[in-house]
Amino acid sequence: MSILVINGPNLNLLGVREPGIYGAATLADVEASVTEQGERAGHSVECFQSNHEGAIVDRIHATAADGTRFVIINPGAFTHTSVAIRDAFAAVGVPFCEVHISNVHKREEFRRHSYLSDVAVGVLAGFGVRGYNLAMAFVIEQLAGDA
């Protein structure tokens, strides 16, 4: 069973960008941690990051044919702007969890709206990078129920 972890714009700058909000862990740290967690449970894990909306949409489309069973996504700023990413998930029907490092509900008003949350299986926000591991634990549990 394959799990895809998608990170959107500016998440390649984790560990450098606003560490007071996003922490000191790098994207490589996050990816290594969730990959190890997923593989320990017997799943293959692929990580993908792009600053480009179309590339993320294309990667979501590919899940329909590549064996992806579940997606964990931190869409970054696209959370608040991308109907295209929402529609891509709706089109392929692959379940996903939405993750945010910061508590978006304690930040600027525009960050409080997500175009993805209503089609997501679950949403985690404000747990720091640990949110990825919490999402992975949930996904592993969900996939075990499918077996």
Side-chain angles (χ1 to χ4, degrees), residues 75-93:
F78 291 141
T79 304
H80 325 292
T81 63
S82 185
V83 175
I85 291 173
R86 181 201 189 284
D87 288 350
F89 276 118
V92 300

Side-chain angles (χ1 to χ4, degrees), residues 56-66 84 87-89 91-92:
I56 294 170
V57 169
D58 288 343
R59 185 62 194 91
I60 293 166
H61 288 176
T63 66
D66 71 4
D87 288 350
F89 276 118
V92 300

